[in-house]
């Protein structure tokens, strides 16, 4: 069989966009099928054949990607061509609506008023006025009323799609989604403006793009089909977020093209066989074909009986040792180990990497919840971009240390009257003291105190305040970020370093969700519902250890998805990250039940299952 069986798919996409009239499409592209390759190939053909014409008309092709990393990758592959507007969904819709401030203000106030009425109804219906839930709703009501009152003074709304939005006139991510979807759906004139400015709109990972926005784009296409072409790329089997578009395939208009990529260029044959078996229960486009030259590959399911005091690090080390033997691959175990380990939640990875206390403190702060996983919390960046790099460089390359001190130390600012060389020597001395504490893995509090005394760096206000407080000093009236930093103050600085390594993907750990679109030679998937606090996924239900909940049964009866469907899609995503060998490690109270279900479903063979 040829390895280019999907060549006609790329030709179909080209014809959809470059022929006249253009035609909207949905590309079904499973794991490892080269979806990004096809997208970039299409964009290059657009650039080369109609790029100049579009620019002369003041138009662009819009490309919506799922992550900032994907945006940067595609921009780079296209040599930064101005023919394209490439961005994440939030960035794109904000660029579209930000000029219509009066409309934003009207909807912003309307939605807050609706939230007020909803909370008020809950308060009125409550029989007990003293419960924590009642008091929490009471606080929420007051907060909403304050926000609504402040709306009158807002002349211009702002929004940062990549970070915190703490200002009173700043929209939150969810608000931008809700407002932009409503504005686009209800305003034919705005639809026409978008269609004229972006005659072609391509959406990657469309199955996980906010469903209300996908619906809005469908409406633009339906109302402006003569000038606007919509191209969706995705795979229902890889939809892992609840706010994505369900049943995408059944919603595609009949006149659209629906090409399917059927080859998996990434995985070994046994891994493709496993993913096909998992995927066939999810949608009709599951069957994939391996490359002719694909290796056989190795898969194993390790089932571990949960018990109190279990040493998971030791067990996972044993698994890697056994995989090294099974796969005849020394990089599974030893000094040169190269294994990507996937945990269900960030906290599971944090525990294994030893920064769980630091992560637990800061991740609970509502304004940090998105940026803490991107490594872009300004207060944390004080340590990761200033304290730690300076501490590491001060005893090494003097030029690196000097450049960092010039960039961040107020002692080297123009306002200081000391002689430059004397200042530099003083900075080196103070940086040396800080470096000694960092190298000895002293607490965050001790390091902040030394920096404060020396004035070597400008300490963020909340960090400085926290360094002067103890846990018993915190009251319910204090801001949650201050309370979190007080809790983190007496943790060793190395936890910050480990956190930084993790969020910047310098460790071998990641989450099941965080690696979609990526690939690795060796993958170990850790399944442990006992450590996962979320309710969206349940591997115990998927493997038959636990029965469906009443909510699951009700959802199933109404034709809605249950936690089993969500988990099965996530399982598909994790297994298809592996190119050559895959180890699934499941902690459970019922190993024999897991083994029986895995065999019954045809996922694993008896000889591929190891009970430890």
């Amino acid at each position: 069989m040829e390895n280019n069986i999907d060549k006609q798919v790329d030709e179909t996409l080209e014809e959809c966009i470059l022929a006249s009239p253009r035609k909207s499409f949905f590309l079904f592209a499973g794991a490892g099928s080269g979806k990004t390759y096809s997208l970039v190939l299409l964009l290059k053909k657009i650039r080369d054949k109609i790029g100049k014409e579009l620019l002369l008309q003041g138009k662009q092709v819009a490309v919506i990607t799922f992550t900032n990393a994907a945006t940067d990758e595609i921009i780079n592959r296209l040599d930064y061509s101005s023919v394209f507007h490439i961005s994440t969904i939030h960035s794109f819709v904000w660029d579209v609506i930000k000029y219509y401030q009066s409309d934003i203000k009207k909807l912003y106030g309307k939605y807050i008023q609706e939230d007020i009425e909803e909370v008020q109804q809950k308060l009125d219906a409550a029989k007990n006025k003293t419960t924590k839930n009642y008091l929490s709703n009471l606080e929420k009501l007051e907060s909403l009323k304050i926000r609504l009152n402040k709306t009158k003074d807002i002349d211009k709304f702002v929004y940062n799609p990549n970070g915190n939005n703490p200002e009173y006139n700043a929209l939150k991510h969810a608000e931008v989604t809700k407002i932009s979807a409503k504005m686009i759906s209800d305003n034919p004139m705005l639809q026409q403006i978008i269609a004229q400015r972006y005659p072609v709109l391509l959406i990657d990972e469309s199955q996980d793009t906010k469903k209300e926005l996908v619906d809005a784009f469908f409406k633009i296409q339906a109302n402006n089909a003569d000038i606007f072409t919509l191209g969706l790329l995705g795979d229902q089997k890889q939809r892992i977020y609840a706010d994505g578009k369900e049943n995408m395939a059944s919603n595609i208009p009949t006149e659209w093209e629906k090409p399917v990529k059927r080859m998996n260029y990434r995985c070994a044959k046994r891994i493709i066989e496993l993913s096909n078996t998992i995927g066939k229960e999810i949608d009709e486009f599951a069957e994939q074909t391996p490359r002719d030259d694909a290796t056989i590959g190795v898969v194993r399911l390790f089932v571990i009986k949960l018990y109190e005091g279990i040493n998971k690090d030791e067990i996972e080390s044993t698994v890697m040792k056994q995989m090294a033997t099974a796969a005849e691959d020394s990089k599974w175990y030893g000094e040169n180990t190269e294994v990507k380990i996937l945990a269900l939640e960030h906290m599971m990875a944090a525990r294994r990497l030893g920064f769980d206390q630091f992560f637990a403190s800061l991740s609970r702060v509502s304004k940090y919840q998105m940026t803490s996983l991107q490594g872009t919390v300004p207060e944390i960046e004080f340590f990761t971009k200033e304290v730690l790099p300076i501490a590491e460089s001060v005893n090494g390359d003097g030029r690196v240390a000097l450049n960092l001190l010039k960039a961040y130390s107020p002692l080297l600012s123009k306002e200081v009257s000391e002689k430059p060389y004397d200042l530099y020597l003083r900075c080196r001395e103070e940086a040396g003291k800080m470096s000694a504490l960092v190298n000895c893995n002293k607490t965050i509090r001790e390091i902040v105190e030394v920096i404060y005394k020396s004035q070597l760096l400008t300490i963020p206000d909340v960090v400085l305040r926290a360094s002067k407080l103890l846990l018993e000093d915190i009251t319910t009236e204090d801001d949650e970020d201050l309370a979190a930093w007080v809790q983190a103050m007496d943790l060793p600085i190395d936890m910050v370093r480990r956190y930084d390594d993790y969020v910047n993907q310098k460790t071998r750990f990641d989450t099941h969700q965080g690696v979609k679109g990526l690939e690795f030679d060796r993958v170990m998937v850790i399944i442990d519902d006992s450590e996962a606090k979320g309710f969206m996924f349940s591997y115990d239900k998927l493997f038959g250890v636990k029965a469906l909940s009443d909510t699951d049964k009700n959802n199933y009866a109404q034709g809605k998805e249950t936690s089993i469907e969500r988990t099965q899609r996530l399982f598909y995503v994790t297994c298809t990250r592996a190119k050559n060998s895959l180890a699934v490690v499941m902690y459970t109270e019922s190993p024999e039940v897991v083994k029986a279900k895995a065999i019954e479903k045809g996922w694993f063979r008896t000889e591929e299952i190891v009970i430890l």
Side-chain angles (χ1 to χ4, degrees):
M1 182 179 294
E2 295 183 11
N3 287 332
N4 62 345
I5 60 172
D6 291 329
K7 183 180 178 181
Q8 80 285 353
V9 172
D10 295 325
E11 294 170 353
T12 299
L13 298 184
E14 181 180 359
E15 188 174 339
C16 283
I17 304 301
L18 298 179
S20 182
R22 296 195 305 268
K23 200 169 187 180
S24 294
F25 67 84
F26 183 97
L27 171 63
F28 296 88
S33 62
K35 174 170 57 67
T36 303
Y37 170 84
S38 292
L39 173 60
V40 172
L41 182 64
L42 175 62
L43 294 176
K44 285 181 177 178
K45 289 177 178 176
I46 292 172
R47 179 193 62 193
D48 297 341
K49 294 188 177 182
I50 61 172
K52 288 183 180 178
E53 178 186 344
L54 288 171
L55 290 176
L56 286 172
Q57 295 173 353
K59 298 177 180 181
Q60 288 180 297
V61 171
V63 183
I64 292 174
T65 62
F66 196 70
T67 64
N68 289 321
T71 296
D72 294 340
E73 179 186 353
I74 293 175
I75 289 173
N76 184 53
R77 287 204 205 182
L78 295 170
D79 299 322
Y80 300 88
S81 172
S82 57
V83 174
F84 306 104
H85 179 102
I86 304 171
S87 65
T88 60
I89 186 66
H90 286 94
S91 295
F92 179 77
V93 294
W94 176 245
D95 283 341
V96 167
I97 70 168
K98 65 184 178 183
Y99 303 105
Y100 308 98
Q101 290 286 330
S102 60
D103 295 302
I104 294 173
K105 186 172 183 175
K106 187 185 299 182
L107 285 172
Y108 179 79
K110 176 177 180 288
Y111 291 142
I112 293 178
Q113 183 60 49
E114 289 176 357
D115 288 341
I116 287 174
E117 292 171 3
E118 182 181 340
V119 175
Q120 187 64 62
Q121 287 176 2
K122 290 180 180 178
L123 291 170
D124 293 341
K127 296 178 180 179
N128 188 339
K129 311 292 186 183
T130 61
T131 63
K132 286 185 178 180
N133 191 45
Y134 181 87
L135 296 174
S136 175
N137 280 330
L138 203 58
E139 289 180 10
K140 184 177 180 180
L141 181 65
E142 290 306 310
S143 176
L144 287 168
K145 286 181 177 178
I146 292 170
R147 283 182 61 200
L148 184 61
N149 189 49
K150 284 183 176 180
T151 303
K152 298 193 295 287
D153 301 323
I154 297 177
D155 295 320
K156 183 179 181 181
F157 288 89
V158 297
Y159 172 65
N160 177 5
N162 301 317
N164 294 322
N165 290 279
E167 300 89 352
Y168 81 96
N169 63 326
L171 295 174
K172 297 181 176 65
H173 306 292
E175 291 169 339
V176 167
T177 299
K178 191 173 183 179
I179 290 171
S180 58
K182 182 68 173 174
M183 285 176 64
I184 294 170
S185 295
D186 289 359
N187 191 329
M189 181 63 73
L190 182 56
Q191 294 173 22
Q192 192 171 30
I193 290 170
I194 295 170
Q196 290 173 339
R197 181 72 182 88
Y198 305 105
V200 176
L201 172 60
L202 305 174
I203 305 177
D204 194 14
E205 300 289 358
S206 56
Q207 76 281 351
D208 272 324
T209 303
K210 304 286 185 181
K211 52 192 167 190
E212 54 266 56
L213 289 173
V214 173
D215 288 338
F217 295 140
F218 269 110
K219 189 167 285 189
I220 298 176
Q221 196 277 330
N223 295 338
N224 300 272
D226 55 331
I227 62 170
F228 181 75
T229 304
L230 186 59
L232 306 178
L233 301 90
D235 176 17
Q236 277 297 104
K237 297 184 297 300
Q238 296 187 74
R239 183 172 67 83
I240 57 177
Y241 295 103
D243 52 6
K245 179 77 172 173
E246 294 182 44
N247 304 317
M248 181 77 80
S250 60
N251 286 282
I252 302 300
T254 54
E255 66 271 17
W256 285 30
E257 286 287 346
K258 305 176 188 68
V260 180
K261 300 199 76 172
R262 298 199 176 274
M263 177 161 280
N264 183 318
Y265 297 89
R266 171 192 300 157
C267 303
K269 293 175 180 177
R270 178 64 187 97
I271 296 171
I272 294 174
E273 181 187 353
L274 170 63
S275 65
N276 282 341
T277 308
I278 297 170
K280 70 183 180 182
E281 299 178 21
I282 302 172
D283 73 18
E284 61 187 290
F285 300 101
E287 195 73 26
Q288 286 188 306
T289 302
R291 291 174 57 94
D292 285 345
D293 55 354
T295 59
I296 298 299
V298 173
V299 300
R300 290 289 186 273
L301 171 63
F302 294 87
V303 192
I304 295 95
K305 172 74 174 178
L306 269 174
Y307 58 88
E308 190 173 343
I310 188 171
N311 188 332
K312 294 176 181 176
D313 289 338
E314 184 178 310
I315 286 169
E316 287 153 25
S317 178
T318 299
V319 167
M320 289 191 283
K321 191 173 184 178
Q322 291 197 21
M323 283 300 296
T325 301
E328 298 181 352
D329 182 355
S330 61
K331 290 192 176 181
W332 262 100
Y333 184 78
E335 293 182 3
N336 299 317
T337 302
E338 292 182 14
V339 179
K340 177 56 74 169
I341 304 174
L342 306 183
L344 186 55
E345 293 183 347
H346 293 286
M347 184 55 74
M348 291 169 65
R351 288 192 188 101
R352 286 164 171 81
L353 290 170
F355 66 92
D356 49 317
Q357 291 171 284
F358 179 77
F359 185 75
S361 298
L362 278 302
S363 62
R364 282 195 290 264
V365 180
S366 55
K367 70 177 183 179
Y368 291 168
Q369 282 177 354
M370 177 173 286
T371 52
S372 66
L373 299 177
Q374 299 169 338
T376 56
V377 175
E379 291 84 2
I380 301 179
E381 286 184 316
F382 166 69
F383 294 98
T384 60
K385 291 188 174 179
E386 299 181 38
V387 174
L388 293 175
I390 290 172
E392 290 168 2
S393 64
V394 72
N395 295 320
D397 190 329
R399 290 171 298 178
V400 174
L402 179 59
N403 288 335
L404 287 167
L405 290 167
K406 280 181 177 179
Y408 297 114
S409 179
L411 295 180
L412 294 182
S413 66
K414 295 178 181 179
E415 288 75 21
V416 180
S417 58
E418 290 182 51
K419 294 179 181 180
Y421 187 67
D422 291 342
L423 275 172
Y424 172 65
L425 291 178
R426 180 180 162 196
C427 277
R428 289 277 299 187
E429 180 183 355
E430 298 300 342
K433 294 177 184 176
M434 181 184 75
S435 178
L437 293 179
V438 171
N439 290 335
C440 292
N441 199 23
K442 295 295 184 180
T443 65
I444 297 171
R445 186 188 303 278
E446 290 173 284
I447 292 166
V448 171
E449 287 173 349
V450 164
I451 295 171
Y452 178 66
K453 288 176 184 176
S454 68
Q455 298 298 297
L456 179 68
L457 299 169
T458 303
I459 303 168
D461 178 63
V462 69
V463 175
L464 181 59
R465 287 164 54 208
S467 71
K468 299 176 181 179
L469 298 172
L470 299 174
L471 281 175
E472 53 263 35
D473 300 322
I474 294 296
T475 68
T476 54
E477 296 178 359
D478 288 308
D479 293 336
E480 60 178 358
D481 56 343
L482 176 62
W485 277 105
V486 171
Q487 190 172 2
M489 271 299 132
D490 294 309
L491 299 175
I493 190 66
D494 196 48
M495 284 197 181
V496 183
R497 192 196 313 274
R498 294 181 184 191
Y499 155 85
D500 189 47
D501 286 344
Y502 174 68
V503 296
N504 286 293
Q505 296 187 320
K506 295 178 183 177
T507 74
R508 57 187 182 179
F509 282 87
D510 211 319
T511 61
H512 291 196
Q513 301 91 329
V515 292
K516 188 172 69 166
L518 303 179
E519 58 185 45
F520 311 94
D521 288 331
R522 306 155 201 85
V523 171
M524 180 163 76
V525 180
I526 298 175
I527 295 174
D528 190 351
D529 285 357
S530 69
E531 278 197 68
K533 296 180 180 178
F535 59 89
M536 295 294 292
F537 307 103
S538 174
Y539 281 98
D540 278 342
K541 291 179 184 177
L542 180 64
F543 280 86
V545 175
K546 289 186 178 178
L548 290 177
S549 66
D550 290 340
T551 301
D552 288 322
K553 292 175 182 176
N554 289 334
N555 286 337
Y556 183 79
Q558 296 173 34
K560 298 179 181 178
E561 71 175 24
T562 69
S563 57
I564 286 186
E565 283 84 46
R566 288 192 294 269
T567 308
Q568 190 158 356
R569 290 196 301 267
L570 191 61
F571 190 43
Y572 174 88
V573 168
T574 58
C575 291
T576 52
R577 298 313 95 197
K579 293 168 66 176
N580 299 321
S581 49
L582 167 71
V584 177
V585 181
M586 182 166 180
Y587 295 94
T588 177
E589 295 176 353
S590 306
E592 292 298 336
V593 173
V594 170
K595 179 179 179 179
K597 180 63 73 171
I599 294 171
E600 175 194 324
K601 285 183 169 289
W603 293 346
F604 297 91
R605 304 177 186 120
T606 303
E607 64 271 19
E608 293 173 334
I609 302 174
V610 180
I611 296 182
L612 292 178

